Amino acid sequence: MIAPPSKIVCVGRNYREHARELGNDVPAEPLIFLKPPSSLIGSGDEIVLPTEFSSQVEYEGEIGLVIGSRLKNAGEAEGMQGLAGVVALNDVTARDLQGRDSQWTRAKGFDTFCCVGNLWTGDVNVGEIEVVTRLNGQERQRGTSAEMVFPIPFLISYISRLMTLLPGDLIATGTPSGVGRLASGDVVEIELMGRSMVRNSVRG
Ligand code: ZN
């Protein structure tokens, strides 16, 4: 990582099929929420199920963006220049709490609920990044940034107009369809085209 993130900014319902699988429409403007930096873990760390609060924890494989320079009111070109690289990211979610609460701090904020892989700083076309999720070796999600409702350059610019982005900040760009449950003993893996990978076992 560049620096520890001051915030993790997440985008909800940014893939049509995923919005539909949970019974939602895609939003007219980006749906933004935050995860606390205390939720972060790396590849090889354990996802700990918060069994006291939730009985339905799910994986969400996503393309993560790492910000490299301070961005405030950035246009799309400036925003792309401020992008340090991409990471495989798992936006772990307590789906039952997400349904009960009108905002998602609890559902998204537990310790170990943001799994982040190695930073890929090499060449990448942000319009065609593929993200794959495997649960116990079986593919469960596959999507590309080409399917996003709000594309990556737009998202960086848009978020930088809501709040100043600082070096190290993370953006989780939304999950494709195929989300599903995690159980104790599972191994879940998110991969961006062999360039970044995060693999975590689950403990309940
Ligand atoms: Zn998500």
Side-chain angles (χ1 to χ4, degrees), residues 155-174:
L155 286 174
I156 298 173
S157 168
Y158 180 83
I159 294 166
S160 83
R161 288 182 275 136
L162 301 175
M163 59 190 87
T164 301
L165 290 167
L166 299 174
D169 282 357
L170 270 164
I171 299 175
T173 57

Side-chain angles (χ1 to χ4, degrees), residues 14-22 59-61 131 133 139-144 147 174-180:
N14 200 26
Y15 290 78
R16 220 165 288 281
E17 286 304 316
H18 169 65
R20 191 173 301 153
E21 75 181 341
L22 297 182
Y59 57 82
E60 293 190 356
V131 56
T133 302
E139 183 173 313
R140 294 300 179 92
Q141 294 186 284
R142 181 178 288 265
T144 88
E147 302 165 290
T175 198
S177 61
V179 296

Side-chain angles (χ1 to χ4, degrees), residues 70-137:
R70 186 178 183 277
L71 295 173
K72 181 180 174 66
N73 298 323
E76 293 191 8
E78 185 194 346
M80 288 306 297
Q81 280 178 1
L83 178 64
V86 298
V87 288
L89 188 148
N90 191 348
D91 172 21
V92 180
T93 302
R95 196 72 68 201
D96 46 359
L97 299 182
Q98 187 182 30
R100 298 217 299 269
D101 293 351
S102 60
Q103 50 72 32
W104 304 342
T105 303
R106 266 203 314 174
K108 299 281 192 175
F110 289 101
D111 288 2
T112 77
F113 269 29
C114 189
C115 318
V116 172
N118 56 293
L119 176 63
W120 171 263
T121 57
D123 270 353
V124 69
N125 178 348
V126 295
E128 44 188 48
I129 302 172
E130 193 167 44
V131 56
V132 175
T133 302
R134 296 180 201 91
L135 183 65
N136 303 321

